[in-house]
Amino acid sequence: INARGDVSKWYQRRVRARSTPSTKLPSIKAGKRNKKALGERRYRMKLRGYGGQPKPVFRKNAKTTKKQVLRLECQTCHKKTQVSLKRCKHFELGGQKRKKGQMIQF
């Protein structure tokens, strides 16, 4: 999928400020895990001592793609929304449209 770099139309549909001039589109990655969160503390306590791995480790990953999520931020009011796109193997932001029969170059 080639997404346009200027995505203000996507944002304006989801925000109260209809006259949003432009939006900022940072790249998204998973946030850092908080070591002080209750689940994280409980899991670390379970790992201590004897008994091996207490919880199952997921290894049967069947999906080959991920759903792309864009995090849009308004330049004027700094309000943020997330827009989910379809599943795709290759995502490019602000790329040129592919012509019919043309191969993807990484």
Side-chain angles (χ1 to χ4, degrees), residues 22-88:
S22 62
T23 55
K24 188 169 74 174
L25 187 67
S27 60
I28 293 191
K29 58 182 180 180
K32 188 178 176 183
R33 293 181 65 95
N34 187 2
K35 291 183 178 179
K36 295 178 183 177
L38 180 62
E40 188 70 29
R41 285 182 282 148
R42 188 181 288 139
Y43 181 66
R44 271 193 277 125
M45 286 299 291
K46 268 189 158 186
L47 281 176
R48 292 175 123 195
Y50 297 107
Q53 180 72 24
K55 292 197 169 196
V57 178
F58 187 69
R59 290 195 176 94
K60 293 183 179 178
N61 196 4
K63 300 261 189 295
T64 57
T65 59
K66 288 188 175 182
K67 287 184 179 178
Q68 297 297 325
V69 178
L70 302 178
R71 187 168 184 231
L72 307 172
E73 182 183 349
C74 178
Q75 295 284 357
T76 54
C77 61
H78 300 289
K79 191 169 182 179
K80 299 174 189 77
T81 53
Q82 290 186 341
V83 180
S84 61
L85 302 177
K86 294 180 178 180
R87 290 186 175 274
C88 61

Side-chain angles (χ1 to χ4, degrees), residues 2 5 7 9-10 24 30 32 45 49 54 56 81 89 97 102:
N2 286 335
V7 289
K9 287 182 183 175
W10 289 349
K24 188 169 74 174
K32 188 178 176 183
M45 286 299 291
T81 53
K89 288 190 175 184
K97 285 222 167 185
Q102 186 181 3

